[in-house]
Amino acid sequence: MDRKKFISTSLKAVVASATIPSMVKASNVKLKNSDYDKLMQQVGFNHLPNEEYKTMNTVLHKADTRGHANHGWLNSHHTFSFANYYNPERVHFGALRVLNDDTVAEGKGFGTHPHDNMEIISIPLSGDLEHQDSMGNKAVIKQGDIQVMSAGTGIYHSEYNKNTDRNVEFLQIWVFPNEKSVAPRYDQISIGDISKPNQLNQVLSPNKDDAGVWIHQNAWFSLGDFNQNTDLSYAFNSSDNGAYLFVLEGNVTVEGQELEKRDGFGIWNVNQLNIKAKKGSKLLLMEVPMTV
């Protein structure tokens, strides 16, 4: 595909002043250019299951191989192809389409912009991120929170660094939904009450009554914060799923593969993972369907 035609979705957002622009009501949202359609055009052979051979498959993405864009107000690292970064071998991992590691400068942010038919998850790593959307939500998410939006039939939203004296760092993750044109929805929770040290704590699932938030996809996310050396195992919830592990801090070994800070590692065609986490490490594990 011609690189010039590659999407530049949310990075088209304009840096605005501290006053967030007024929002269009969700019921009036009609998007001419669909996130889902554009992004699905890019999905190909990379990091999908091998239907013939059910042996373990892996893919390693070292931190320094990620796409990078520094706009001054926004410093972003892209694990997968996004905006002006396009690598045909790194478009997606199964249903996991976007994993952006963003730092937003003091008082700056993404102006009002649209999304549709995408499950969007934000996980702040430091600082405070202010959100406002066309569903009438206005909230601040901070370290220890997780936010989810089902864009569905279409929403507009903005995201700003609420503070004028420090950066905000957060992960923005997009997952293809298993159902299109659902009613848009928003949720956020503090995960402090469901998180225990030295284990993987579920923070997202497809089930409304499970721990954490939920999305329209057969996916499970877990976070681990390790204050001592820890050996653990992870059993998959579905045999059709793979796992993408992203190291937030420290050193983690997964099935013999050593990973360092901001390394990513995808693995599929297995039922269980053996993980060794060193003291001071933090890990995000994303189990997602390998077919989209």
Side-chain angles (χ1 to χ4, degrees):
M1 174 172 285
D2 185 351
R3 177 170 178 170
K4 292 182 179 178
K5 293 182 180 179
F6 187 69
I7 63 163
S8 59
T9 51
S10 64
L11 290 184
K12 290 181 180 178
V14 178
V15 181
S17 64
T19 303
I20 298 175
S22 60
M23 293 284 172
V24 179
K25 290 297 182 183
S27 60
N28 295 328
V29 172
K30 292 183 180 179
L31 303 181
K32 294 181 180 180
N33 298 312
S34 167
D35 277 352
Y36 184 90
D37 293 341
K38 288 181 177 180
L39 292 172
M40 279 300 292
Q41 288 174 9
Q42 303 297 317
V43 170
F45 63 91
N46 62 111
H47 315 322
L48 290 175
N50 188 316
E51 299 296 340
E52 253 181 87
Y53 304 103
K54 294 297 183 182
T55 56
M56 181 179 74
N57 287 308
T58 63
V59 59
L60 174 64
H61 298 142
K62 297 295 290 181
D64 60 2
T65 68
R66 295 178 295 170
H68 181 222
N70 192 338
H71 302 276
W73 66 275
L74 169 67
N75 189 11
S76 184
H77 290 84
H78 313 307
T79 293
F80 302 107
S81 296
F82 188 81
N84 292 325
Y85 166 62
Y86 177 57
N87 181 339
E89 295 296 323
R90 291 178 64 162
V91 173
H92 66 117
F93 178 81
L96 177 61
R97 178 57 188 83
V98 169
L99 173 55
N100 287 348
D101 182 4
D102 290 344
T103 300
V104 178
E106 302 93 330
K108 304 297 183 180
F110 302 89
T112 304
H113 57 282
H115 294 291
D116 77 308
N117 286 313
M118 196 63 59
E119 302 297 302
I120 301 172
I121 302 102
S122 296
I123 303 176
L125 304 177
S126 68
D128 304 299
L129 188 69
E130 186 167 4
H131 164 97
Q132 186 172 343
D133 63 44
S134 53
M135 294 177 281
N137 299 297
K138 185 174 182 179
V140 175
I141 56 172
K142 57 186 183 300
Q143 183 178 5
D145 293 343
I146 184 170
Q147 177 202 70
V148 64
M149 290 190 299
S150 297
T153 54
I155 60 168
Y156 285 84
H157 80 133
S158 61
E159 298 165 294
Y160 282 83
N161 184 345
K162 184 174 177 60
N163 299 308
T164 58
D165 59 349
R166 57 177 171 151
N167 292 341
V168 60
E169 299 179 359
F170 72 106
L171 302 180
Q172 185 165 114
I173 302 163
W174 295 5
V175 175
F176 285 116
N178 56 15
E179 183 179 358
K180 292 182 66 178
S181 299
V182 300
R185 56 177 288 272
Y186 174 91
D187 193 17
Q188 74 174 77
I189 63 167
S190 171
I191 58 177
D193 294 337
I194 59 175
S195 296
K196 296 181 179 179
N198 305 312
Q199 67 178 45
L200 288 170
N201 301 285
Q202 180 181 293
V203 296
L204 177 147
S205 80
N207 306 311
K208 298 179 183 179
D209 297 327
D210 265 5
V213 293
W214 66 275
I215 62 172
H216 294 280
Q217 186 51 273
N218 196 36
W220 286 260
F221 287 14
S222 299
L223 281 165
D225 192 343
F226 303 95
N227 57 28
Q228 62 186 37
N229 292 342
T230 306
D231 292 349
L232 65 154
S233 62
Y234 178 84
F236 284 83
N237 292 278
S238 171
S239 60
D240 296 325
N241 285 0
Y244 194 87
L245 298 95
F246 189 64
V247 180
L248 301 176
E249 297 287 346
N251 299 82
V252 175
T253 301
V254 183
E255 293 297 330
Q257 175 65 58
E258 186 172 354
L259 305 172
E260 299 175 317
K261 181 176 180 179
R262 296 312 202 257
D263 287 350
F265 183 64
I267 184 167
W268 65 102
N269 286 341
V270 292
N271 297 317
Q272 182 172 296
L273 299 179
N274 296 306
I275 302 169
K276 296 179 180 290
K278 291 187 178 179
K279 181 179 179 180
S281 297
K282 296 182 180 181
L283 176 67
L284 171 62
L285 185 153
M286 295 167 280
E287 179 187 340
V288 296
M290 291 304 292
T291 55
V292 291

